[in-house]
Amino acid sequence: MEHIQIAIDGPAGAGKSTIAKLLAAKLGFIYIDSGAMYRAVTLKAMKLGVDLEDERAYDFVENTKFTFVDGNLYMDNIDVSKEIRQTAVSNNVSLVSSYYFVRLELVKAQQALAKSHNVVMDGRDIGYQVLPHAKYKFYLTASIAQRAKRRYYDNLERNISSDLNIIEQEIERRDHFDTTREHSPLKAADDAIIIDTSNLSIDQVVSLIEDKVREEENHEF
Ligand code: DC
């Protein structure tokens, strides 16, 4: 049986991961957070003490195992879902995810994960690179001000104090880096449906996508 693939791309703070996770739970699909895999590679490189700026230092990715259980990422059989959210990892992940070899290996791993299950996968290059034949492709976006506000309140919930202006600047910097990098920049697939989430609630976006998929699949699951 052909498995159903739902690709969700977009910049940081557009609500992708929250939406993808909820959508997967509602549909009974597996949620694959590709950004978490780039974060995990960054974490492992930091733990191994390799020179993060040396692209040749990442051959360990080839022998690294990734699995998702209930939306949590296990790297080499250890749950790293909390550790990969550390600020030090966030600060280095843009660099690590810009390396060709890292992307090559992680794209292979992501494609393998999507082969045997119905999946919702979110990231930056899913619709045009990782799963170019996905039946459903969405690109979520939102204004910088709105995305910064969301990150700010996320941080508050996690008891992390932050400054809204600084978050806005960081988002702009990250957008610029992610959209202009040489390998697999952030962009929408030509056949993706673009959804601006600035004035929509999480539930509204989830329903929009869920309704579309269920309708197309004749409400079979
Ligand atoms: O979604 P996130 O913020 O956890 O992603 C972490 C980093 O990984 C971010 O800098 C973009 C990068 N990334 C990527 O290059 N390709 C993906 N498919 C997913 C994330």
Side-chain angles (χ1 to χ4, degrees):
M1 195 190 97
E2 270 289 292
H3 287 96
I4 300 170
Q5 300 173 336
I6 303 177
I8 300 185
D9 288 303
K16 274 186 327 269
S17 52
T18 313
I19 287 160
K21 197 183 258 184
L22 281 170
L23 180 70
K26 287 200 163 189
L27 295 172
F29 287 19
I30 292 194
Y31 167 52
I32 299 173
D33 175 352
S34 69
M37 295 168 76
Y38 288 96
R39 287 173 177 273
V41 169
T42 307
L43 177 71
K44 192 163 173 179
M46 286 164 53
K47 282 194 169 169
L48 289 172
V50 304
D51 176 1
L52 295 183
E53 300 198 358
D54 180 0
E55 189 167 357
R56 290 163 308 175
Y58 293 85
D59 53 356
F60 66 84
V61 183
E62 225 173 333
N63 302 311
T64 303
K65 189 177 147 206
F66 300 95
T67 34
F68 282 90
V69 181
D70 296 333
N72 292 329
L73 174 60
Y74 287 70
M75 178 167 60
D76 299 327
N77 301 318
I78 294 168
D79 183 354
V80 290
S81 42
K82 287 218 168 66
E83 258 185 300
I84 58 170
R85 303 288 154 197
Q86 292 166 12
T87 310
V89 173
S90 301
N91 289 343
N92 287 310
V93 66
S94 266
L95 173 72
V96 174
S97 63
S98 69
Y99 293 137
Y100 178 76
F101 180 73
V102 172
R103 304 204 68 86
L104 189 74
E105 288 304 316
L106 285 191
V107 167
K108 269 197 258 172
Q110 288 152 7
Q111 289 171 334
L113 286 167
K115 216 170 194 166
S116 44
H117 304 280
N118 290 336
V119 294
V120 179
M121 190 183 295
D122 74 344
R124 307 293 194 283
D125 58 341
I126 310 305
Y128 77 88
Q129 167 123 309
V130 181
L131 305 175
H133 304 297
K135 187 162 177 189
Y136 301 98
K137 297 180 186 178
F138 297 91
Y139 187 88
L140 306 185
T141 176
S143 66
I144 289 185
Q146 190 62 34
R147 288 159 54 204
K149 230 175 29 240
R150 288 177 185 162
R151 183 63 35 107
Y152 177 78
Y153 286 112
D154 260 9
N155 285 347
L156 267 190
E157 250 173 53
R158 291 181 211 182
N159 285 324
I160 302 170
S161 66
S162 50
D163 177 312
L164 197 56
N165 286 325
I166 292 177
I167 298 181
E168 277 199 20
Q169 286 164 19
E170 280 169 1
I171 287 183
E172 270 181 271
R173 188 178 58 85
R174 193 121 88 94
D175 275 3
H176 180 74
F177 192 91
D178 288 346
T179 53
T180 57
R181 71 179 175 211
E182 185 185 355
H183 304 299
S184 316
L186 162 67
K187 67 171 182 202
D190 291 340
D191 51 351
I193 295 175
I194 296 177
I195 303 176
D196 186 336
T197 70
S198 300
N199 299 309
L200 296 173
S201 70
I202 296 285
D203 288 340
Q204 282 173 318
V205 183
V206 173
S207 295
L208 217 121
I209 300 179
E210 186 190 0
D211 290 351
K212 176 152 185 57
V213 174
R214 286 196 192 279
E215 202 171 295
E216 189 85 20
E217 301 297 325
N218 296 319
H219 302 269
E220 274 186 24
F221 48 86

